[in-house]
Amino acid sequence: MQAKQIVARVEELVRPLCEQAGVSLWDVEFEKEGGQYMLTVTVDHPDGVHIDQCEQVSRALDPMLDEKEFDSMPSYTLCVSSAGLSRRLKKPEHFAAFLGHPVEVGFYKPVNGAKQVEGTLIAYENGNVTLETGGQRTVYEPADIAAVRLAVEI
């Protein structure tokens, strides 16, 4: 199985498990980190996520991943965690949910002299991210963007 196929299948399996645990599925990633594969399931809830909910999803998902269809998967570590306050926005629905909120956009290389910029998320269209900073709107292209995260206000 390719990584994209693994992610799609795990999303399919874990979505009802998340509902049973009282959380929503935020994201699934299957990536190699430091020589080992990580299967990360990220969950969310408007009132926060409790560790018991993560554990419930993990315990229910784990035996499903031992099924024959996953035999070709490389060795991995399963991690189920909360999206957190400074969650990464990746999908169109993530951006739609946080329009008007402060975000941090990190770049692969400096854009206008900055490696990162913070502003209010105004729009997301075809991967283009529009921020308002100091009354000025700027559109950033997907080829420049390494990550977009919610900005934590303290």
Side-chain angles (χ1 to χ4, degrees):
M1 286 180 114
Q2 299 286 336
K4 285 184 179 182
Q5 293 170 311
I6 292 167
V7 166
R9 182 64 178 128
V10 170
E11 282 180 349
E12 203 176 295
L13 291 171
V14 79
R15 197 171 303 280
L17 303 177
C18 288
E19 289 175 16
Q20 290 169 7
V23 294
S24 61
L25 179 62
W26 181 261
D27 196 21
V28 175
E29 294 178 311
F30 186 68
E31 298 177 323
K32 195 170 189 176
E33 293 180 14
Q36 181 168 349
Y37 283 95
M38 293 289 296
L39 176 59
T40 306
V41 175
T42 309
V43 298
D44 190 31
H45 188 277
D47 297 327
V49 176
H50 299 281
I51 193 155
D52 296 350
Q53 293 168 305
C54 293
E55 183 180 2
Q56 181 180 342
V57 172
S58 179
R59 288 184 187 272
L61 179 61
D62 196 41
M64 293 177 172
L65 297 172
D66 290 336
E67 296 295 324
K68 190 168 182 65
E69 72 177 299
F70 294 103
D71 281 352
S72 64
M73 258 176 83
S75 178
Y76 65 92
T77 299
L78 173 63
C79 174
V80 178
S81 66
S82 165
L85 291 177
S86 63
R87 68 192 60 203
R88 188 169 176 190
L89 307 181
K90 293 172 57 176
K91 300 176 181 180
E93 57 267 27
H94 295 165
F95 287 92
F98 289 99
L99 289 174
H101 286 78
V103 296
E104 296 174 353
V105 179
F107 304 111
Y108 291 111
K109 58 185 179 186
V111 173
N112 300 326
K115 189 87 163 119
Q116 180 176 311
V117 66
E118 188 173 324
T120 302
L121 179 63
I122 299 301
Y124 177 81
E125 189 175 325
N126 299 323
N128 291 306
V129 175
T130 304
L131 294 188
E132 185 173 291
T133 308
Q136 182 177 347
R137 290 185 180 199
T138 308
V139 178
Y140 298 99
E141 297 181 12
D144 295 329
I145 299 171
V148 179
R149 295 187 179 281
L150 282 182
V152 179
E153 297 177 354
I154 299 174

